[in-house]
Amino acid sequence: MRINDDFTRPVIVHASRQDWIPSPAPGVDRRMLFRIGEEKARATSIVRYAPGSAFPRHTHTGGEEFVVLDGVFQDEHGDYPAGAYIRNTPGTSHVPASKDGCTIFVRLWQFRADDQAQSVRQPGEGQRVPPRNGAAAATLLFDDGHEEVRFEDWQPEAGVTVENANGLELLLLDGGLTIGNETLEPQAWVRLPADMALHATASRDGARVWMKRGPLMHENVCAF
């Protein structure tokens, strides 16, 4: 299976308009944004856990990175409510579940082979950094010199430009955005190739975004 696998082209996916696709685990469904592979895949997805659902224990050989969008995600290491950001490095394992249900945005098999920078940011954690023009606030979640991850809050009806030297991904968490002639709703996902700047306008309610800047696929990405 190959979905949005051409990294030279800009991509906008209106995930909230997609149907949910069942996973092998009962009660766990997905909206696929990017994928190379079948059940084992390099993948970016929105994943929904029904109340009481769980995946069996598994090891993330290629690493896992996720943001909790709503509800509370759980594993044996703790509870992660909406707004949490977690990086589970290659070789880590867990039993993901949700007692009351949750939705997460997750990236799999996209870590560098030498990346061992485990990170857990609970809601409100992270380093406050100066916001860019048009933004009200910015929180740095992760920066290892290879990639930078942030939450940003953009002001109502503000025009925002994000320079993009190496590649950019954005997930709209709340509010609305306009990019060109596309109107984005929460769960919309944007991916831009290197050297294509992002030009966006927030809605009258503003916008909250998760954003990663760095190579869209690392040269030394974990091998299958």
Side-chain angles (χ1 to χ4, degrees), residues 124-144:
E125 295 182 347
Q127 178 186 352
R128 289 299 183 101
V129 294
R132 70 183 75 251
N133 289 341
T139 301
L140 182 66
L141 300 169
F142 180 78
D143 185 359
D144 66 351

Side-chain angles (χ1 to χ4, degrees), residues 58-66 77 85-94 107-120 142 144 147 222:
H58 56 274
T59 298
H60 287 291
T61 309
E64 173 195 53
E65 176 182 26
F66 65 93
H77 306 298
Y85 168 73
I86 292 88
R87 299 178 90 253
N88 290 324
T89 53
T92 55
S93 68
H94 66 161
R107 303 172 80 255
L108 300 172
W109 281 98
Q110 296 178 62
F111 276 59
R112 303 187 325 277
D114 61 348
D115 187 346
Q116 291 299 313
Q118 181 84 10
S119 180
V120 175
F142 180 78
D144 66 351
E147 55 187 60
C222 290

Side-chain angles (χ1 to χ4, degrees), residues 102-185:
C102 72
T103 307
I104 67 172
F105 166 76
V106 60
R107 303 172 80 255
L108 300 172
W109 281 98
Q110 296 178 62
F111 276 59
R112 303 187 325 277
D114 61 348
D115 187 346
Q116 291 299 313
Q118 181 84 10
S119 180
V120 175
R121 302 290 192 187
Q122 291 286 8
E125 295 182 347
Q127 178 186 352
R128 289 299 183 101
V129 294
R132 70 183 75 251
N133 289 341
T139 301
L140 182 66
L141 300 169
F142 180 78
D143 185 359
D144 66 351
H146 298 277
E147 55 187 60
E148 180 200 79
V149 183
R150 295 179 173 212
F151 287 142
E152 294 197 1
D153 295 294
W154 294 354
Q155 296 173 342
E157 300 182 331
V160 178
T161 295
V162 182
E163 299 301 328
N164 172 26
N166 299 305
L168 182 148
E169 283 189 52
L170 178 147
L171 183 74
L172 179 58
L173 303 173
D174 197 14
L177 288 178
T178 301
I179 299 175
N181 60 0
E182 298 265 12
T183 300
L184 280 61
E185 306 160 338

Side-chain angles (χ1 to χ4, degrees), residues 3-4 12-21 30-34 44-46 48 185 187 189:
I3 299 172
N4 293 322
I12 296 177
V13 179
H14 299 278
S16 65
R17 304 174 194 175
Q18 292 183 339
D19 293 333
W20 291 102
I21 300 171
R30 299 173 290 196
R31 288 169 165 162
M32 299 180 181
L33 310 177
F34 155 70
T44 301
S45 310
I46 306 288
R48 180 180 66 181
E185 306 160 338
Q187 291 193 14
W189 177 71

